[in-house]
Amino acid sequence: MAVSTKLNGAHDLPTPDPESPYRSRKPYRFSTLCATVDNPFAKDQYGSSSVPIYQTATFKGVAGEYDYSRSGNPTRSHLEHHIAKISSAGHAFAVSSGMAALDIITRLLKPGDEIIAGDDLYGGTNRLLTYLKTNGGVIVHHVDTTVPENILPHINPGKTAMVLLESPTNPLLKIVDLAKIAADVKERAPEAIIVVDNTMMSPYCQRPLEYGADIVYDSATKYLSGHHDLMAGIITCNRDDVAKQMAFIINSVGNALTPFDSFLLLRGSKTLAIRMDRQQSTAMHVATMLDRLGFKVNYPGLPNHPGREVHERIASGYGAVLSFTTGDKAMSERIVGATRLWGISVSFGAVNSLISMPCVMSHASIDAATRAARGLPEDLIRLCVGIEDPEDLLDDLEHALLEAGAITVTANADEHQYVRATTSISRAVEKLAVSEPRRPRERREWFVSAPGKVILFGEHAVVHGVTAVAASVDLRCYGLTTPRHDGKLSVKFCDIDDFYAEWDVDLLPWDAVTPVSIGEEHPEVLDQGLIDAISNRAMPADMEKYPKAKGAALAFLYLYMMMAHGGERPSFNFTARSTLPIGAGLGSSASFSVCAATALLLLHQRIDIPPLPAPTREPAGGDPGHVHVSHQGRRAIPPSVAEETNRWAFVAEKILHGNPSGVDNSVSVYGGALAYTRAGFGKKSGMEQISGFKSLRFLLTDSKVPRDTKKLVAGVSEKKEREPEVVNAILEAIQSISNEARRALADPELSRESLLSAISALIDENHAHLVSLGVSHASLEAIRAKTARDMYKLSTKLTGAGGGGCAVTLVPDDIREDVLQQLIAELLSDNFQPYLTSVGGSGLGILSPYGLNAPFTPPAETDTSESYVTREPLRATFQEKTGAELSEWAESRGRWLYV
Ligand code: PLP
């Protein structure tokens, strides 16, 4: 926009004399007027180039122009003359601040007078108007003045004494058609005084006296002085009657500007035009950059600004204040905190660039409800552009946006290097989309647990499309979240070297994450960029010493960050304990993944614990799918929650294992026994609960030989490539074992005895195939040989990846107790660790937040957090209990809800 520099005021400098008939002289343009502080009627006695400071309170004599500085001072007179000249004004007054100016103006009002004022005014203006309303008997109508017609119903001839306008508004940069409103009001209530706060524009960009305003005032603390080194207000007007009254008030209350500040303001105003030119042009660059990045930017210079046309009619520049939203208050705070060149400060108009959040700074004096009612977003950032090098300003802002996670590097960096991170957009959208108010779940502990598993048939083959049969074991991982309220996130893994780590939530590498919005699924492939960012930037320095804990911590942080949405970053501790042997092939990692995923989904409010159904123990009329052999649990976790948890647990499993089958986490979530066929090649994962599964007893024996699952899985794949025919034949054989086992397990006609003998035979067969695949181990063969001895005659197979880890031995119902104990003793003496367990128990469990004696259905109001039971904190005892005591203690904490 071409800035007009013409003034049509009567206070143009006299054109140079004499004017020749051959060469006409044009009136001086704005910047010339600004820089030229001559007053032909007040020549300095010594011809000083700069107006001196008359630092005196009194003047001697009785006949002089000045007697007392409250009433008049030569330095101030020079300033006022100068301001009048550049404002198209007949009168100008310099006072102690912008608010002092408004105070003087509003003293023109009497009790009973009515004011029509904008609804998006400077906070201090609002405060003064509220004071007048409460204490001065003045009636104030706040109106959205961006629509001129809104004013009309409030014009009350004879009563409407003043109309107070601001354009553009601060900080939303809304445009008010000052000219139209002035004309409308004058037509209907000619006695009303039209007042304009012109601070956002300065006389350089906008001179409302030229189109109908009676009084214009500026906080000269801003552009007019330009250096933030003084407080001042100026009032200009063309009406002699009004000017006379205001002069009287200023003299009476004594808030005229001091000589020294008058000198400074005069000095600053000389460079107004040149400063504004630079500031506006940079503001346009900044607004364009933010707009291009996808933020909602408020700046009248942008082509998409709704008030641009009106603004261009009434002003000759766009100013240097703009604002934008990020969709997330916490993110806005981080952006503001991350800038270096942009100073965090209220106010604007100085040569230095400033950044602020109006809701917590300049507009904090307006209460939150009013702010909300007036559409002032809590996440709004205001930028006030200075005269620094535009490149430096853009660069600093870009860095801050990146550091705060508001933008991210594009995959296609050809055109623009950065794009707005989906975080903010999706957060904003999600905030709107969340129909239910968000509950402060951080206030309570969440206690969750999930079982381990044994693969009864089909391990390894499952990776290649064969159906596996897996069942939950009666050994579980427990996870407990405890609120922290200090902006930190911490984990404690009691059974992995008692590992503990904590993070400042805001210092996590948020720039690297593109969270998964609610309702969407995590992409099939892990985000390696985020994994690298967490590994390199968030892990404790000595993390390499704890390889197992490292994987668990990485998976936990990855899920935490991926789930963060809507600006929520809960601060809590997550403690995990396990009654399962870790890394023995019994699904300890899957049960950890399920616990962590569940806890995080609860804390991120992505899943809900629904009101309890009627107090029946099993769903009405249906086969429960599995028998709760281990828990008197209530099947109250709906399938949708189970599915969501399972999906996220699988993501964690991928981080821990690279290419897991998904069977472990599925069993851990669903419990019972599952026939699982792996997803792949476009087909969905097939998972069928083996209904009517009969609980079986197994002896699980940990060989205590550590294994490398990834390597074992890769070994089978390599073998398949080398000898496809051999391996495919084995895979086919395993598939028929699985089919046979499924049939037997689900067959209601089959006697218990026949079932056990069938399973026994299938166990031996399956183990033989696993040996052929090369995944057994001497320790496993030793366990197998021991259990097969004549006195036991039991069938054993390796379970899981093999290469060490665990073996499973089917324990017949009729085995003599002393024989069983002897076997256990022998295994122990060979330094193995046997666990006698049943399989097919409950899956994921969540300790009901509603308490044992709470009503089954929580109250209907939306915030059920209030109806959550208050419990003794669990964490200390949770950590203290021995492994043997843990399950019983956990069970006795209240009512557990199961999938
Ligand atoms: N009007 C506007 C638009 C302002 O932004 C301000 C101050 O920020 C004022 C008036 C008040 O000015 P002062 O702080 O000089 O009293």
Side-chain angles (χ1 to χ4, degrees):
M1 176 167 165
V3 172
S4 148
T5 50
K6 273 196 179 163
L7 278 181
N8 63 1
H11 293 269
D12 189 6
L13 275 183
T15 48
D17 214 28
E19 186 174 18
S20 137
Y22 308 107
R23 211 167 158 264
S24 65
R25 313 279 305 207
K26 293 198 178 101
Y28 289 128
R29 288 155 186 89
F30 192 93
S31 42
T32 308
L33 295 176
C34 259
T36 318
V37 182
D38 284 350
N39 180 350
F41 310 106
K43 291 277 183 204
D44 179 70
Q45 57 184 319
Y46 301 112
S48 70
S49 302
S50 156
V51 174
I53 307 171
Y54 283 89
Q55 189 64 31
T56 178
T58 55
F59 298 84
K60 288 185 178 159
V62 284
E65 197 182 338
Y66 301 101
D67 57 358
Y68 191 52
S69 276
R70 165 150 53 76
S71 317
N73 176 286
T75 314
R76 187 160 74 235
S77 295
H78 263 284
L79 168 68
E80 289 172 340
H81 174 268
H82 186 64
I83 297 290
K85 186 180 73 183
I86 62 173
S87 305
S88 302
H91 306 274
F93 302 99
V95 294
S96 58
S97 73
M99 289 319 301
L102 184 61
D103 177 41
I104 290 153
I105 295 164
T106 52
R107 280 174 197 254
L108 300 173
L109 297 165
K110 310 180 296 304
D113 280 352
E114 295 187 12
I115 293 195
I116 304 172
D119 68 350
D120 182 24
L121 299 169
Y122 167 64
T125 305
N126 255 323
R127 187 169 44 202
L128 184 58
L129 291 182
T130 307
Y131 179 85
L132 288 174
K133 196 165 140 179
T134 323
N135 301 284
V138 173
I139 296 148
V140 185
H141 303 284
H142 283 287
V143 177
D144 175 2
T145 46
T146 54
V147 181
E149 291 69 34
N150 286 351
I151 286 209
L152 304 181
H154 299 282
I155 299 177
N156 192 355
K159 286 273 180 204
T160 306
M162 195 172 276
V163 176
L164 178 55
L165 304 169
E166 238 181 275
S167 185
T169 63
N170 169 24
L172 291 177
L173 286 291
K174 290 200 243 165
I175 303 300
V176 174
D177 192 338
L178 302 173
K180 167 129 183 58
I181 292 179
D184 285 350
V185 174
K186 287 283 168 213
E187 197 186 310
R188 292 162 176 83
E191 67 288 355
I193 296 172
I194 314 282
V195 179
V196 174
D197 178 342
N198 201 42
T199 309
M200 289 279 279
M201 289 277 95
S202 87
Y204 182 44
C205 296
Q206 186 167 269
R207 292 179 293 277
L209 292 180
E210 291 174 3
Y211 43 77
D214 297 301
I215 301 176
V216 173
Y217 73 100
D218 270 60
S219 164
T221 318
K222 314 292 186 311
Y223 291 117
L224 271 165
S225 61
H227 295 75
H228 278 182
D229 50 9
L230 65 98
M231 298 286 309
I234 56 134
I235 307 171
T236 54
C237 81
N238 277 327
R239 277 175 55 174
D240 295 343
D241 56 334
V242 174
K244 202 169 158 202
Q245 282 187 71
M246 291 195 293
F248 174 84
I249 296 164
I250 294 167
N251 189 34
S252 306
V253 300
N255 56 4
L257 196 62
T258 64
F260 186 70
D261 285 341
S262 297
F263 166 84
L264 279 180
L265 179 51
L266 193 55
R267 184 165 113 143
S269 67
K270 292 180 197 174
T271 54
L272 174 65
I274 196 162
R275 282 186 280 109
M276 286 299 282
D277 281 344
R278 172 62 166 259
Q279 288 173 260
Q280 296 191 95
S281 114
T282 308
M284 190 61 146
H285 285 306
V286 173
T288 307
M289 178 185 95
L290 290 168
D291 184 54
R292 199 193 63 215
L293 286 168
F295 293 97
K296 185 180 175 322
V297 185
N298 308 306
Y299 186 61
L302 287 177
N304 58 8
H305 191 287
R308 184 171 151 132
E309 205 187 302
V310 173
H311 183 75
E312 288 182 350
R313 199 157 23 83
I314 60 174
S316 52
Y318 303 117
V321 174
L322 61 130
S323 61
F324 69 105
T325 48
T326 63
D328 174 350
K329 188 177 180 189
M331 177 178 286
S332 296
E333 281 171 355
R334 287 198 302 280
I335 294 169
V336 171
T339 52
R340 298 204 177 148
L341 192 51
W342 299 79
I344 304 176
S345 172
V346 292
S347 200
F348 58 90
V351 289
N352 301 107
S353 296
L354 303 175
I355 187 165
S356 65
M357 282 183 70
C359 283
V360 288
M361 298 167 74
S362 54
H363 289 59
S365 61
I366 306 177
D367 65 88
T370 311
R371 286 199 303 258
R374 297 197 185 155
L376 195 61
E378 295 286 310
D379 61 330
L380 192 76
I381 296 180
R382 191 183 70 172
L383 295 172
C384 308
V385 182
I387 63 166
E388 302 91 337
D389 191 293
E391 289 299 318
D392 290 338
L393 288 171
L394 292 170
D395 201 44
D396 188 48
L397 186 58
E398 202 170 71
H399 268 101
L401 292 169
L402 196 61
E403 207 175 306
I407 58 171
T408 179
V409 182
T410 43
N412 169 16
D414 293 351
E415 217 185 321
H416 308 304
Q417 209 188 343
Y418 298 108
V419 287
R420 189 175 174 196
T422 44
T423 41
S424 352
I425 298 169
S426 49
R427 277 177 187 167
V429 172
E430 279 160 14
K431 271 197 166 160
L432 292 174
V434 173
S435 52
E436 195 186 336
R438 303 175 70 72
R439 297 174 193 166
R441 293 198 182 177
E442 269 181 84
R443 277 205 241 126
R444 65 179 321 283
E445 288 186 314
W446 286 101
F447 197 12
V448 301
S449 87
K453 64 95 205 8
V454 278
I455 297 196
L456 299 179
F457 303 103
E459 53 272 271
H460 283 290
V462 73
V463 177
H464 303 280
V466 169
T467 308
V469 175
S472 61
V473 296
D474 196 16
L475 299 167
R476 303 175 75 89
C477 176
Y478 295 85
L480 180 71
T481 70
T482 315
R484 286 191 61 127
H485 307 303
D486 61 354
K488 295 211 164 129
L489 179 69
S490 52
V491 292
K492 177 152 174 98
F493 305 142
C494 299
D495 303 289
I496 313 177
D497 306 318
D498 213 15
F499 176 81
Y500 176 82
E502 67 176 33
W503 299 269
D504 198 322
V505 164
D506 287 336
L507 298 184
L508 291 173
W510 292 105
D511 54 292
V513 69
T514 307
V516 174
S517 305
I518 286 180
E520 281 173 20
E521 289 180 23
H522 184 283
E524 207 168 312
V525 181
L526 293 174
D527 182 342
Q528 194 54 45
L530 179 58
I531 291 180
D532 293 345
I534 295 172
S535 306
N536 301 332
R537 288 153 59 192
M539 286 297 169
D542 60 349
M543 199 70 225
E544 293 309 322
K545 283 197 236 151
Y546 309 95
K548 278 188 190 156
K550 186 181 172 195
L554 177 65
F556 184 84
L557 284 182
Y558 183 96
L559 261 56
Y560 177 86
M561 293 181 72
M562 274 285 175
M563 287 185 196
H565 63 95
E568 304 287 327
R569 291 176 182 175
S571 160
F572 63 96
N573 172 80
F574 176 73
T575 299
R577 290 202 60 184
S578 182
T579 57
L580 281 155
I582 309 287
L586 293 181
S588 60
S589 89
S591 61
F592 167 83
S593 294
V594 172
C595 285
T598 312
L600 287 166
L601 286 165
L602 285 165
L603 265 298
H604 281 295
Q605 305 193 33
R606 298 177 78 109
I607 56 172
D608 235 334
I609 301 306
L612 294 178
T616 57
R617 291 263 155 193
E618 298 293 351
D623 182 333
H626 65 273
V627 183
H628 292 282
V629 290
S630 51
H631 304 98
Q632 292 310 305
R634 176 176 295 281
R635 302 187 71 233
I637 298 177
S640 58
V641 170
E643 278 157 29
E644 178 74 348
T645 307
N646 197 30
R647 278 193 288 269
W648 282 101
F650 186 50
V651 174
E653 284 285 274
K654 280 189 187 167
I655 295 169
L656 291 165
H657 300 300
N659 189 21
S661 67
V663 70
D664 290 17
N665 48 280
S666 300
V667 172
S668 189
V669 169
Y670 293 95
L674 297 176
Y676 178 89
T677 315
R678 195 183 177 180
F681 314 106
K683 65 179 164 124
K684 280 201 117 194
S685 97
M687 196 173 54
E688 264 177 65
Q689 194 98 43
I690 301 180
S691 38
F693 178 79
K694 300 162 193 87
S695 174
L696 298 173
R697 272 205 306 170
F698 279 92
L699 192 64
L700 299 176
T701 307
D702 186 359
S703 68
K704 298 194 193 162
V705 175
R707 326 133 305 141
D708 184 339
T709 305
K710 275 187 205 171
K711 214 163 143 190
L712 289 156
V713 171
V716 174
S717 297
E718 279 161 29
K719 191 176 170 67
K720 192 179 169 212
E721 257 177 45
R722 271 198 324 271
E723 307 163 64
E725 276 160 33
V726 177
V727 173
N728 283 333
I730 297 174
L731 294 177
E732 261 174 52
I734 297 177
Q735 179 68 61
S736 39
I737 293 173
S738 283
N739 295 346
E740 186 56 36
R742 268 176 83 178
R743 258 198 303 275
L745 285 166
D747 186 350
E749 307 291 311
L750 203 64
S751 70
R752 182 80 182 170
E753 205 185 350
S754 313
L755 171 70
L756 290 172
S757 91
I759 297 291
S760 204
L762 292 171
I763 282 178
D764 288 332
E765 247 182 75
N766 195 163
H767 183 79
H769 290 307
L770 288 165
V771 171
S772 314
L773 288 177
V775 295
S776 190
H777 186 267
S779 60
L780 296 168
E781 294 307 317
I783 296 167
R784 219 179 103 77
K786 177 143 289 175
T787 59
R789 275 170 47 201
D790 265 358
M791 60 182 302
Y792 305 121
K793 287 205 182 72
L794 300 180
S795 296
T796 296
K797 69 181 270 290
L798 71 83
T799 182
C806 273
V808 288
T809 307
L810 181 65
V811 179
D813 301 337
D814 56 359
I815 192 166
R816 279 198 357 239
E817 191 56 31
D818 59 328
V819 173
L820 185 59
Q821 289 311 322
Q822 187 179 332
L823 174 59
I824 290 173
E826 278 186 38
L827 290 167
L828 279 169
S829 77
D830 287 352
N831 202 25
F832 299 125
Q833 178 60 59
Y835 300 86
L836 189 60
T837 180
S838 51
V839 302
S842 303
L844 164 66
I846 300 173
L847 183 63
S848 167
Y850 305 112
L852 267 178
N853 302 318
F856 285 98
T857 306
E861 80 271 24
T862 34
D863 187 359
T864 45
S865 63
E866 296 311 324
S867 61
Y868 287 164
V869 69
T870 314
R871 284 198 175 91
E872 279 289 295
L874 299 172
R875 184 158 165 223
T877 327
F878 176 56
Q879 282 174 223
E880 272 163 24
K881 288 283 166 195
T882 65
E885 297 165 335
L886 190 57
S887 303
E888 205 179 310
W889 174 78
E891 272 299 297
S892 63
R893 289 311 88 203
R895 179 192 291 128
W896 282 82
L897 311 171
Y898 292 100
V899 167

